């Protein structure tokens, strides 16, 4: 019988370094993920980090609206719409086996642009110990080494010094201010977002070795053709 990883190759992806491991979100992860969100994400002393305050929606278990139903729809949609022309890797982040956050990689027209966008969050109980930096390094390194990306882009709401610090540590540089719209239960507001970009030349790699599994199958699934000479010598 075929395995789930053979049927949907993103499930075979594993990126690990030290105590941190990234794997594509599975349904088995969802109960732990919901509890992580309920434990809190947002630092009250920092700006709200998302376009929509999905993490603060009323907890309505078993109801068609509110959390977690609305978030489940988002996570499942990412999987259902996965295609070479536009894809999003929703990577569950574990530290020492415990689910601590999410790291996203998103690309549209990757074959033409070579650009990947990153986004991430950590549960409050797991912030401030270096996980945010390492998980971003793993995602960016994977985009460069395994997918052949030419640049990775991200952004944070001005005033979010924690996100700014992670970006600096990974090698991002400022790439202009954008005015964006945030939607919360308090209403709709415009805020400034600092855009940042990192290239292979500026990328700061983790000090420990990185292990990657499932990259070959994922590249085939995405239609990314790379010669072996272009791929970094790490475990695939």
């Amino acid at each position: 019988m075929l395995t789930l990883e053979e049927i949907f190759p993103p499930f075979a992806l594993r990126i690990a370094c030290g105590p941190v491991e990234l794997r594509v979100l599975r349904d088995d992860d969802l109960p732990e993920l919901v509890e992580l969100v309920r434990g809190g994400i947002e630092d009250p002393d920092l700006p709200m980090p998302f376009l929509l305050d999905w993490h603060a929606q009323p907890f309505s278990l078993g109801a068609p609206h509110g959390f977690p139903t609305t978030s489940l729809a988002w996570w499942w949609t990412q999987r259902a719409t996965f295609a070479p022309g536009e894809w999003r890797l929703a990577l569950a982040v574990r530290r020492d086996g415990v689910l601590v956050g999410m790291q996203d990689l998103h690309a549209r027209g990757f074959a033409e642009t070579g650009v990947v966008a990153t986004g991430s969050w950590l549960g409050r109980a797991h912030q401030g110990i270096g996980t945010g930096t390492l998980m971003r390094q793993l995602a960016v390194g994977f985009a460069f080494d395994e997918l052949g990306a030419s640049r990775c882009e991200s952004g944070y709401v001005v005033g979010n010094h924690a996100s700014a610090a992670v970006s600096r540590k990974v090698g991002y540089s400022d790439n202009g201010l954008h005015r964006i719209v945030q939607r919360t239960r308090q209403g709709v507001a415009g805020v400034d977002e600092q855009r940042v970009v990192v290239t292979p030349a500026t990328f700061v790699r983790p000090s420990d070795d990185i292990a990657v599994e499932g990259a070959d199958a994922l590249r085939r699934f995405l239609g990314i053709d790379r010669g072996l000479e272009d791929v970094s010598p790490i475990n695939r």
Side-chain angles (χ1 to χ4, degrees), residues 58-70:
F59 183 66
S60 304
L61 190 62
H65 305 291
F67 183 80
T69 302
T70 52

Side-chain angles (χ1 to χ4, degrees), residues 112-127:
E112 293 76 28
T113 67
V115 176
V116 172
T118 64
S120 59
W121 59 265
L122 282 171
R124 284 202 65 194
H126 308 283
Q127 297 173 9

Side-chain angles (χ1 to χ4, degrees), residues 26-64:
R26 294 172 177 249
D27 287 353
D28 289 347
D29 297 317
L30 293 175
E32 194 175 357
L33 184 59
V34 168
E35 289 303 315
L36 180 65
V37 175
R38 293 187 70 195
I41 297 174
E42 185 178 350
D43 186 330
D45 295 326
L46 297 177
M48 200 274 283
F50 307 115
L51 296 180
L52 173 70
D53 65 345
W54 61 273
H55 59 301
Q57 298 296 315
F59 183 66
S60 304
L61 190 62

Side-chain angles (χ1 to χ4, degrees), residues 18-171:
V20 174
E21 177 187 73
L22 278 58
R23 303 196 72 151
V24 170
L25 183 69
R26 294 172 177 249
D27 287 353
D28 289 347
D29 297 317
L30 293 175
E32 194 175 357
L33 184 59
V34 168
E35 289 303 315
L36 180 65
V37 175
R38 293 187 70 195
I41 297 174
E42 185 178 350
D43 186 330
D45 295 326
L46 297 177
M48 200 274 283
F50 307 115
L51 296 180
L52 173 70
D53 65 345
W54 61 273
H55 59 301
Q57 298 296 315
F59 183 66
S60 304
L61 190 62
H65 305 291
F67 183 80
T69 302
T70 52
S71 291
L72 289 176
W74 167 241
W75 292 323
W76 283 332
T77 295
Q78 294 178 58
R79 189 187 308 166
T81 57
F82 204 100
E86 182 173 2
W87 47 265
R88 188 182 299 270
L89 288 170
L91 301 169
V93 180
R94 293 186 177 272
R95 186 180 182 109
D96 294 322
V98 177
L99 187 62
V100 297
M102 292 292 297
Q103 174 71 60
D104 282 4
L105 284 171
H106 173 229
R108 178 181 296 138
F110 179 76
E112 293 76 28
T113 67
V115 176
V116 172
T118 64
S120 59
W121 59 265
L122 282 171
R124 284 202 65 194
H126 308 283
Q127 297 173 9
I129 59 173
T131 305
T133 299
L134 182 53
M135 63 198 245
R136 184 98 68 90
Q137 288 174 311
L138 295 185
V140 171
F142 174 77
F144 289 152
D145 298 339
E146 301 293 347
L147 302 183
S150 59
R151 59 194 287 168
C152 288
E153 299 178 344
S154 190
Y156 57 86
V157 176
V158 171
N160 190 334
H161 58 76
S163 289
V166 168
S167 295
R168 286 194 303 270
K169 291 175 183 177
V170 178

